[in-house]
Amino acid sequence: MHRRHPEIDPQLLSETEEQRELRTVLRDFFTETSGPEDVRKHLATRRGYDEVVWARLAGEIGVHGLAIPEEYGGSGFTFAELAVALEESGRALYCAPLLPTVVLAAHALLAAGDRQACERYLPRIADGTLTATVAGFHDGEPGVGAEPTGAGTVLRGAVDFVLDGAGADLILVRARTAEGPRLFACEPAPETCVRTPHRVLDETRRQARVEFHGAQATHVGESGEVAAALDAGRAALAAEQVGGSGHALDATVAFVAQRHQFGRPIGSFQAVKHRLADVLVALEAARSAATYASACTALGSPQLPVAASAAAAVCSETFRLATAEYVQLHGGIGFTWEHPAHLYVRRARSSEVLFGTAEQHRARLAELVGLTPRSAA
């Protein structure tokens, strides 16, 4: 059972001067490079994002290496700094694979404790020359099996809905072995790895079915435990959702201040004020939950599972509310294909089921803190 009271120093939940400066730099950067029209344009390309901007984000600002130790080519900061970058990327709806590469794959490598694998892959993640993702990181028996052969280990089986599965240079696969689930690194080759893109609701976050037909793989670490990497992913997604919710609220407030009906701004009507106030209250709660989850991730706190699931539940529902009001309070224009609101709605709907629904996270929280469902009367 997890302790119910936080053990994080409250001062660690306040934004530092360095984090504020990073936020300012990134907001300017994404305003320049990832506006709604940029997002639409790059969705039609092979990789779905601007690879030049990806390289600049890694090289000029160093986002990819923020939470990677210096010994592996990173900056040696913490997940708290990376969360700032993720929040700003979510605000701009940046469509490159930061979540699978910089969060899930990088944290899975670090958690595995395999120095050789870290030395091989993390420097290339940090400098932006390697994209990566994970597959089979779910509860239960993996759908992929690892078979030892004279030439090494090969993978057979399939995993569905892999983030950036069609384009990633490296896939970390949780696979079955005789000793139980283990983690393997696979650099997919076309002849042994068939990758089929899915048509998904949120085209800014591509997913694919990956089939392994004797794909060569390398064993990573001594355990197939991936819970910490998944919780880091949940904390990262929560930060993204806070950023997207912030954009939706700011854009809606700006619109209702300049849109007039009956000779006055529609934002002056009490009903509109109340709806936006509800979004603001929800956003502040989501920001608190996401910040706490980021702090727990940065410190490797035993409270991370609780914090990650709490943030997942709160931030998912906040993003959904904020984007719904984004559409509704823009009136007819909010329903048009040309308006960016629908892009945020799609991101909100896809994100709320990415690592489990809000209901699933509440059930997990109840189990983690030792609560049991109240029996029916």
Side-chain angles (χ1 to χ4, degrees):
M1 181 189 302
H2 287 254
R3 292 172 61 88
R4 298 187 187 183
H5 301 290
E7 296 179 346
I8 300 293
D9 184 344
Q11 290 187 342
L12 297 177
L13 304 179
S14 300
E15 194 167 74
T16 66
E17 183 61 34
E18 283 183 331
Q19 290 168 358
R20 280 191 289 272
E21 291 176 1
L22 176 62
R23 184 181 301 281
T24 299
V25 169
L26 285 167
R27 189 163 299 186
D28 291 343
F29 179 83
F30 285 127
T31 298
E32 173 196 343
T33 62
S34 187
E37 292 311 310
D38 296 303
V39 171
R40 294 176 192 272
K41 178 176 68 175
H42 296 306
L43 288 182
T45 64
R46 182 185 66 85
R47 287 295 277 126
Y49 63 91
D50 189 331
E51 295 180 74
V52 173
V53 171
W54 173 262
R56 287 183 59 196
L57 194 63
E60 295 178 16
I61 305 178
V63 166
H64 300 56
L66 282 172
I68 294 177
E70 290 179 286
E71 63 181 312
Y72 299 129
S75 305
F77 286 98
T78 72
F79 190 88
E81 284 72 37
L82 180 57
V84 171
L86 291 162
E87 182 180 335
E88 291 304 314
S89 74
R91 184 182 183 90
L93 215 66
Y94 182 55
C95 48
L98 276 176
L99 180 61
T101 299
V102 179
V103 181
L104 293 172
H107 280 76
L109 287 167
L110 289 168
D114 188 322
R115 186 172 184 84
Q116 185 175 359
C118 288
E119 289 175 344
R120 180 174 183 179
Y121 297 119
L122 288 178
R124 294 159 60 198
I125 288 177
D127 67 17
T129 58
L130 180 78
T131 57
T133 190
V134 301
F137 280 37
H138 56 267
D139 294 332
E141 189 74 4
V144 176
E147 302 176 4
T149 68
T153 302
V154 298
L155 302 178
R156 299 188 188 278
V159 185
D160 226 342
F161 295 104
V162 176
L163 294 176
D164 196 36
D169 305 314
L170 170 70
I171 305 178
L172 296 177
V173 186
R174 181 172 172 264
R176 300 186 309 273
T177 71
E179 294 77 31
R182 294 291 184 269
L183 191 62
F184 295 86
C186 174
E187 297 182 45
E191 59 272 14
T192 58
C193 189
V194 178
R195 304 194 275 179
T196 308
H198 281 305
R199 184 178 181 184
V200 291
L201 177 66
D202 177 18
E203 295 179 341
T204 67
R205 179 166 281 143
R206 294 188 174 185
Q207 301 181 49
R209 177 178 175 83
V210 182
E211 300 176 23
F212 301 96
H213 301 283
Q216 290 289 330
T218 304
H219 187 220
V220 176
E222 297 302 322
S223 169
E225 179 57 53
V226 295
L230 270 178
D231 281 330
R234 292 178 179 115
L237 184 61
E240 272 193 11
Q241 291 168 322
V242 168
S245 300
H247 163 85
L249 177 60
D250 290 349
T252 307
V253 169
F255 178 78
V256 300
Q258 58 89 25
R259 178 78 169 99
H260 283 64
Q261 286 288 349
F262 307 107
R264 55 192 283 199
I266 62 173
S268 65
F269 293 104
Q270 190 173 50
V272 174
K273 290 179 180 179
H274 285 177
R275 289 169 68 169
L276 291 174
D278 288 343
V279 176
L280 177 60
V281 171
L283 176 56
E284 290 305 309
R287 192 183 305 280
S288 296
T291 300
Y292 180 59
S294 295
C296 288
T297 307
L299 296 173
S301 169
Q303 285 287 316
L304 175 58
V306 171
S309 278
V314 173
C315 296
S316 291
E317 293 183 341
T318 296
F319 198 12
R320 184 172 184 170
L321 170 65
T323 53
E325 297 292 21
Y326 190 10
V327 172
Q328 293 289 333
L329 292 178
H330 272 77
I333 192 175
F335 288 89
T336 62
W337 185 259
E338 292 75 18
H339 198 276
H342 78 91
L343 296 173
Y344 285 85
V345 170
R346 290 165 181 263
R347 174 65 71 86
R349 290 301 180 89
S350 69
S351 295
E352 68 180 327
V353 298
L354 188 56
F355 298 125
T357 65
E359 290 76 13
Q360 289 171 328
H361 284 296
R362 289 193 178 94
R364 184 188 187 214
L365 281 169
E367 182 180 350
L368 288 169
V369 301
L371 297 178
T372 56
R374 186 176 298 174
S375 58

